Amino acid sequence: MRTYICQTILAATALLAAPASAKVVDESEAGFTVAHTAQVAATPADVWKMLRMPQKWWSKEHSWTGDAANFWLDSQAGGCFCEKIPGSGDGLGSVQHARIIHARPNELLRLSGALGPLQSEAVTGTLTIQIKETPTGSALRFDYVVGGYMRFKVAQIAPAVDTVIGEQLAGLAAALGGALPPTRAEKAAEEAGAPDAETPPAKEEAAAESGLDAAVADLIEQDAKPKPDARL
């Protein structure tokens, strides 16, 4: 627990003197949203397999025990993203980082949980991990939405949480062989100052599962091979 709290507080302190990360896509007194994207040269099936093994990619620096080997994840609805806390003769403890509320293999994993020091606050955190096939592998997107009452100041904690979520996506990409460089289209959009992948989908789209495709569409080349939508 000490490791998790200290790392997050240190990140928040370091970021106070710097501009807020552009990845904090929305914030208010009620909460905030952070988002990160990446591309990897791995199939959606390989990404899904790795997602189910957080001990291989979730940072030990953001654990309660300081040992990533204690993580486990049950990737079915109601399942737990949890961590074992080895005891000292008094039995085995555990902590729930989040619980699974939506699992669609090779496409989407959504978890509900207030991560790290947010766990002690009256907030709800929803982490949505999206996967979409691309011509070169897979596009990934992490969105973490936090809302509710907390004793932290949003302007201070949001950049720290942004850093933590970005670190986890980087860890996932590294475990899958490393993130691919931005495409020419992405570089052109950035240079032109066009809205990028961090712009959240419209509210009406977010309410419908069909809106999920739009959330990562900017990561995919225009000539990507169309894929039939087999979702219900």
PDB file of all heavy atoms in Angstrom, residues 125-146:
ATOM      1  N   GLY A 125     -14.383   4.827 -10.548  1.00  0.00           N
ATOM      2  CA  GLY A 125     -13.465   4.900 -11.679  1.00  0.00           C
ATOM      3  C   GLY A 125     -13.803   3.805 -12.682  1.00  0.00           C
ATOM      4  O   GLY A 125     -14.010   2.656 -12.285  1.00  0.00           O
ATOM      5  N   THR A 126     -13.889   4.154 -13.952  1.00  0.00           N
ATOM      6  CA  THR A 126     -14.193   3.173 -15.001  1.00  0.00           C
ATOM      7  C   THR A 126     -13.073   3.192 -16.030  1.00  0.00           C
ATOM      8  O   THR A 126     -12.828   4.215 -16.672  1.00  0.00           O
ATOM      9  CB  THR A 126     -15.531   3.489 -15.686  1.00  0.00           C
ATOM     10  OG1 THR A 126     -16.572   3.516 -14.704  1.00  0.00           O
ATOM     11  CG2 THR A 126     -15.862   2.414 -16.727  1.00  0.00           C
ATOM     12  N   LEU A 127     -12.394   2.053 -16.154  1.00  0.00           N
ATOM     13  CA  LEU A 127     -11.306   1.909 -17.117  1.00  0.00           C
ATOM     14  C   LEU A 127     -11.798   1.062 -18.284  1.00  0.00           C
ATOM     15  O   LEU A 127     -12.153  -0.104 -18.111  1.00  0.00           O
ATOM     16  CB  LEU A 127     -10.089   1.236 -16.468  1.00  0.00           C
ATOM     17  CG  LEU A 127      -8.913   0.913 -17.401  1.00  0.00           C
ATOM     18  CD1 LEU A 127      -8.332   2.193 -18.004  1.00  0.00           C
ATOM     19  CD2 LEU A 127      -7.840   0.131 -16.650  1.00  0.00           C
ATOM     20  N   THR A 128     -11.837   1.662 -19.468  1.00  0.00           N
ATOM     21  CA  THR A 128     -12.240   0.952 -20.679  1.00  0.00           C
ATOM     22  C   THR A 128     -11.013   0.734 -21.555  1.00  0.00           C
ATOM     23  O   THR A 128     -10.322   1.693 -21.911  1.00  0.00           O
ATOM     24  CB  THR A 128     -13.298   1.749 -21.467  1.00  0.00           C
ATOM     25  OG1 THR A 128     -14.464   1.912 -20.647  1.00  0.00           O
ATOM     26  CG2 THR A 128     -13.693   1.004 -22.740  1.00  0.00           C
ATOM     27  N   ILE A 129     -10.745  -0.526 -21.863  1.00  0.00           N
ATOM     28  CA  ILE A 129      -9.618  -0.894 -22.712  1.00  0.00           C
ATOM     29  C   ILE A 129     -10.177  -1.418 -24.027  1.00  0.00           C
ATOM     30  O   ILE A 129     -10.889  -2.416 -24.048  1.00  0.00           O
ATOM     31  CB  ILE A 129      -8.739  -1.966 -22.041  1.00  0.00           C
ATOM     32  CG1 ILE A 129      -8.203  -1.448 -20.703  1.00  0.00           C
ATOM     33  CG2 ILE A 129      -7.597  -2.381 -22.967  1.00  0.00           C
ATOM     34  CD1 ILE A 129      -7.464  -2.501 -19.882  1.00  0.00           C
ATOM     35  N   GLN A 130      -9.887  -0.716 -25.113  1.00  0.00           N
ATOM     36  CA  GLN A 130     -10.402  -1.088 -26.426  1.00  0.00           C
ATOM     37  C   GLN A 130      -9.287  -1.636 -27.308  1.00  0.00           C
ATOM     38  O   GLN A 130      -8.154  -1.166 -27.255  1.00  0.00           O
ATOM     39  CB  GLN A 130     -11.040   0.124 -27.102  1.00  0.00           C
ATOM     40  CG  GLN A 130     -12.206   0.707 -26.301  1.00  0.00           C
ATOM     41  CD  GLN A 130     -12.744   1.964 -26.956  1.00  0.00           C
ATOM     42  OE1 GLN A 130     -13.303   1.918 -28.039  1.00  0.00           O
ATOM     43  NE2 GLN A 130     -12.571   3.093 -26.299  1.00  0.00           N
ATOM     44  N   ILE A 131      -9.649  -2.605 -28.117  1.00  0.00           N
ATOM     45  CA  ILE A 131      -8.710  -3.232 -29.053  1.00  0.00           C
ATOM     46  C   ILE A 131      -9.373  -3.229 -30.424  1.00  0.00           C
ATOM     47  O   ILE A 131     -10.541  -3.596 -30.553  1.00  0.00           O
ATOM     48  CB  ILE A 131      -8.415  -4.699 -28.669  1.00  0.00           C
ATOM     49  CG1 ILE A 131      -8.050  -4.820 -27.193  1.00  0.00           C
ATOM     50  CG2 ILE A 131      -7.328  -5.287 -29.566  1.00  0.00           C
ATOM     51  CD1 ILE A 131      -8.088  -6.255 -26.684  1.00  0.00           C
ATOM     52  N   LYS A 132      -8.643  -2.817 -31.442  1.00  0.00           N
ATOM     53  CA  LYS A 132      -9.190  -2.873 -32.793  1.00  0.00           C
ATOM     54  C   LYS A 132      -8.108  -3.323 -33.756  1.00  0.00           C
ATOM     55  O   LYS A 132      -6.984  -2.831 -33.718  1.00  0.00           O
ATOM     56  CB  LYS A 132      -9.737  -1.518 -33.224  1.00  0.00           C
ATOM     57  CG  LYS A 132     -10.556  -1.608 -34.515  1.00  0.00           C
ATOM     58  CD  LYS A 132     -11.338  -0.332 -34.758  1.00  0.00           C
ATOM     59  CE  LYS A 132     -12.201  -0.416 -36.000  1.00  0.00           C
ATOM     60  NZ  LYS A 132     -13.300  -1.395 -35.849  1.00  0.00           N
ATOM     61  N   GLU A 133      -8.455  -4.261 -34.606  1.00  0.00           N
ATOM     62  CA  GLU A 133      -7.501  -4.782 -35.578  1.00  0.00           C
ATOM     63  C   GLU A 133      -7.126  -3.719 -36.590  1.00  0.00           C
ATOM     64  O   GLU A 133      -7.964  -2.928 -37.046  1.00  0.00           O
ATOM     65  CB  GLU A 133      -8.088  -6.001 -36.291  1.00  0.00           C
ATOM     66  CG  GLU A 133      -7.119  -6.701 -37.227  1.00  0.00           C
ATOM     67  CD  GLU A 133      -7.705  -7.966 -37.830  1.00  0.00           C
ATOM     68  OE1 GLU A 133      -8.935  -8.179 -37.694  1.00  0.00           O
ATOM     69  OE2 GLU A 133      -6.939  -8.724 -38.433  1.00  0.00           O
ATOM     70  N   THR A 134      -5.861  -3.668 -36.953  1.00  0.00           N
ATOM     71  CA  THR A 134      -5.355  -2.750 -37.971  1.00  0.00           C
ATOM     72  C   THR A 134      -4.535  -3.556 -38.978  1.00  0.00           C
ATOM     73  O   THR A 134      -4.208  -4.718 -38.729  1.00  0.00           O
ATOM     74  CB  THR A 134      -4.461  -1.660 -37.347  1.00  0.00           C
ATOM     75  OG1 THR A 134      -3.234  -2.263 -36.926  1.00  0.00           O
ATOM     76  CG2 THR A 134      -5.138  -0.984 -36.166  1.00  0.00           C
ATOM     77  N   PRO A 135      -4.165  -2.949 -40.098  1.00  0.00           N
ATOM     78  CA  PRO A 135      -3.344  -3.664 -41.079  1.00  0.00           C
ATOM     79  C   PRO A 135      -1.990  -4.109 -40.519  1.00  0.00           C
ATOM     80  O   PRO A 135      -1.387  -5.051 -41.024  1.00  0.00           O
ATOM     81  CB  PRO A 135      -3.168  -2.637 -42.205  1.00  0.00           C
ATOM     82  CG  PRO A 135      -4.365  -1.753 -42.085  1.00  0.00           C
ATOM     83  CD  PRO A 135      -4.625  -1.636 -40.620  1.00  0.00           C
ATOM     84  N   THR A 136      -1.511  -3.415 -39.479  1.00  0.00           N
ATOM     85  CA  THR A 136      -0.197  -3.751 -38.924  1.00  0.00           C
ATOM     86  C   THR A 136      -0.258  -4.470 -37.582  1.00  0.00           C
ATOM     87  O   THR A 136       0.773  -4.781 -36.999  1.00  0.00           O
ATOM     88  CB  THR A 136       0.647  -2.473 -38.747  1.00  0.00           C
ATOM     89  OG1 THR A 136      -0.078  -1.544 -37.926  1.00  0.00           O
ATOM     90  CG2 THR A 136       0.952  -1.835 -40.096  1.00  0.00           C
ATOM     91  N   GLY A 137      -1.461  -4.724 -37.081  1.00  0.00           N
ATOM     92  CA  GLY A 137      -1.582  -5.382 -35.784  1.00  0.00           C
ATOM     93  C   GLY A 137      -2.843  -4.970 -35.065  1.00  0.00           C
ATOM     94  O   GLY A 137      -3.944  -5.340 -35.457  1.00  0.00           O
ATOM     95  N   SER A 138      -2.684  -4.157 -34.013  1.00  0.00           N
ATOM     96  CA  SER A 138      -3.847  -3.730 -33.227  1.00  0.00           C
ATOM     97  C   SER A 138      -3.675  -2.303 -32.741  1.00  0.00           C
ATOM     98  O   SER A 138      -2.560  -1.861 -32.439  1.00  0.00           O
ATOM     99  CB  SER A 138      -4.027  -4.637 -32.000  1.00  0.00           C
ATOM    100  OG  SER A 138      -4.247  -5.977 -32.368  1.00  0.00           O
ATOM    101  N   ALA A 139      -4.778  -1.578 -32.683  1.00  0.00           N
ATOM    102  CA  ALA A 139      -4.827  -0.257 -32.058  1.00  0.00           C
ATOM    103  C   ALA A 139      -5.408  -0.438 -30.668  1.00  0.00           C
ATOM    104  O   ALA A 139      -6.375  -1.182 -30.476  1.00  0.00           O
ATOM    105  CB  ALA A 139      -5.693   0.690 -32.877  1.00  0.00           C
ATOM    106  N   LEU A 140      -4.819   0.238 -29.686  1.00  0.00           N
ATOM    107  CA  LEU A 140      -5.248   0.122 -28.296  1.00  0.00           C
ATOM    108  C   LEU A 140      -5.634   1.490 -27.760  1.00  0.00           C
ATOM    109  O   LEU A 140      -5.026   2.497 -28.120  1.00  0.00           O
ATOM    110  CB  LEU A 140      -4.123  -0.447 -27.426  1.00  0.00           C
ATOM    111  CG  LEU A 140      -3.418  -1.708 -27.918  1.00  0.00           C
ATOM    112  CD1 LEU A 140      -2.288  -2.071 -26.967  1.00  0.00           C
ATOM    113  CD2 LEU A 140      -4.397  -2.853 -28.051  1.00  0.00           C
ATOM    114  N   ARG A 141      -6.632   1.502 -26.900  1.00  0.00           N
ATOM    115  CA  ARG A 141      -7.006   2.749 -26.251  1.00  0.00           C
ATOM    116  C   ARG A 141      -7.420   2.469 -24.815  1.00  0.00           C
ATOM    117  O   ARG A 141      -8.196   1.552 -24.552  1.00  0.00           O
ATOM    118  CB  ARG A 141      -8.134   3.445 -26.997  1.00  0.00           C
ATOM    119  CG  ARG A 141      -8.626   4.721 -26.283  1.00  0.00           C
ATOM    120  CD  ARG A 141      -9.501   5.590 -27.149  1.00  0.00           C
ATOM    121  NE  ARG A 141     -10.071   6.674 -26.363  1.00  0.00           N
ATOM    122  CZ  ARG A 141     -10.170   7.932 -26.760  1.00  0.00           C
ATOM    123  NH1 ARG A 141      -9.716   8.278 -27.948  1.00  0.00           N
ATOM    124  NH2 ARG A 141     -10.719   8.845 -25.989  1.00  0.00           N
ATOM    125  N   PHE A 142      -6.871   3.255 -23.880  1.00  0.00           N
ATOM    126  CA  PHE A 142      -7.251   3.215 -22.471  1.00  0.00           C
ATOM    127  C   PHE A 142      -7.989   4.515 -22.159  1.00  0.00           C
ATOM    128  O   PHE A 142      -7.447   5.604 -22.379  1.00  0.00           O
ATOM    129  CB  PHE A 142      -6.032   3.144 -21.555  1.00  0.00           C
ATOM    130  CG  PHE A 142      -5.414   1.787 -21.399  1.00  0.00           C
ATOM    131  CD1 PHE A 142      -5.518   0.814 -22.380  1.00  0.00           C
ATOM    132  CD2 PHE A 142      -4.686   1.489 -20.252  1.00  0.00           C
ATOM    133  CE1 PHE A 142      -4.928  -0.431 -22.236  1.00  0.00           C
ATOM    134  CE2 PHE A 142      -4.084   0.244 -20.092  1.00  0.00           C
ATOM    135  CZ  PHE A 142      -4.204  -0.716 -21.077  1.00  0.00           C
ATOM    136  N   ASP A 143      -9.212   4.417 -21.655  1.00  0.00           N
ATOM    137  CA  ASP A 143      -9.953   5.574 -21.144  1.00  0.00           C
ATOM    138  C   ASP A 143     -10.259   5.310 -19.676  1.00  0.00           C
ATOM    139  O   ASP A 143     -10.835   4.264 -19.341  1.00  0.00           O
ATOM    140  CB  ASP A 143     -11.276   5.765 -21.890  1.00  0.00           C
ATOM    141  CG  ASP A 143     -11.095   6.318 -23.288  1.00  0.00           C
ATOM    142  OD1 ASP A 143     -10.907   5.514 -24.222  1.00  0.00           O
ATOM    143  OD2 ASP A 143     -11.157   7.545 -23.437  1.00  0.00           O
ATOM    144  N   TYR A 144      -9.896   6.258 -18.805  1.00  0.00           N
ATOM    145  CA  TYR A 144     -10.202   6.118 -17.382  1.00  0.00           C
ATOM    146  C   TYR A 144     -11.002   7.333 -16.958  1.00  0.00           C
ATOM    147  O   TYR A 144     -10.535   8.469 -17.049  1.00  0.00           O
ATOM    148  CB  TYR A 144      -8.917   6.003 -16.572  1.00  0.00           C
ATOM    149  CG  TYR A 144      -9.138   5.606 -15.122  1.00  0.00           C
ATOM    150  CD1 TYR A 144      -9.978   4.542 -14.785  1.00  0.00           C
ATOM    151  CD2 TYR A 144      -8.496   6.283 -14.086  1.00  0.00           C
ATOM    152  CE1 TYR A 144     -10.169   4.176 -13.467  1.00  0.00           C
ATOM    153  CE2 TYR A 144      -8.676   5.919 -12.766  1.00  0.00           C
ATOM    154  CZ  TYR A 144      -9.515   4.859 -12.454  1.00  0.00           C
ATOM    155  OH  TYR A 144      -9.699   4.485 -11.141  1.00  0.00           O
ATOM    156  N   VAL A 145     -12.238   7.086 -16.525  1.00  0.00           N
ATOM    157  CA  VAL A 145     -13.169   8.150 -16.144  1.00  0.00           C
ATOM    158  C   VAL A 145     -13.407   8.062 -14.641  1.00  0.00           C
ATOM    159  O   VAL A 145     -13.801   7.002 -14.132  1.00  0.00           O
ATOM    160  CB  VAL A 145     -14.507   8.004 -16.894  1.00  0.00           C
ATOM    161  CG1 VAL A 145     -15.445   9.152 -16.534  1.00  0.00           C
ATOM    162  CG2 VAL A 145     -14.277   7.950 -18.395  1.00  0.00           C
ATOM    163  N   VAL A 146     -13.170   9.151 -13.935  1.00  0.00           N
ATOM    164  CA  VAL A 146     -13.296   9.200 -12.480  1.00  0.00           C
ATOM    165  C   VAL A 146     -14.309  10.267 -12.091  1.00  0.00           C
ATOM    166  O   VAL A 146     -14.255  11.396 -12.603  1.00  0.00           O
ATOM    167  CB  VAL A 146     -11.939   9.502 -11.817  1.00  0.00           C
ATOM    168  CG1 VAL A 146     -12.085   9.629 -10.306  1.00  0.00           C
ATOM    169  CG2 VAL A 146     -10.913   8.416 -12.162  1.00  0.00           C
TER     170      VAL A 146
END
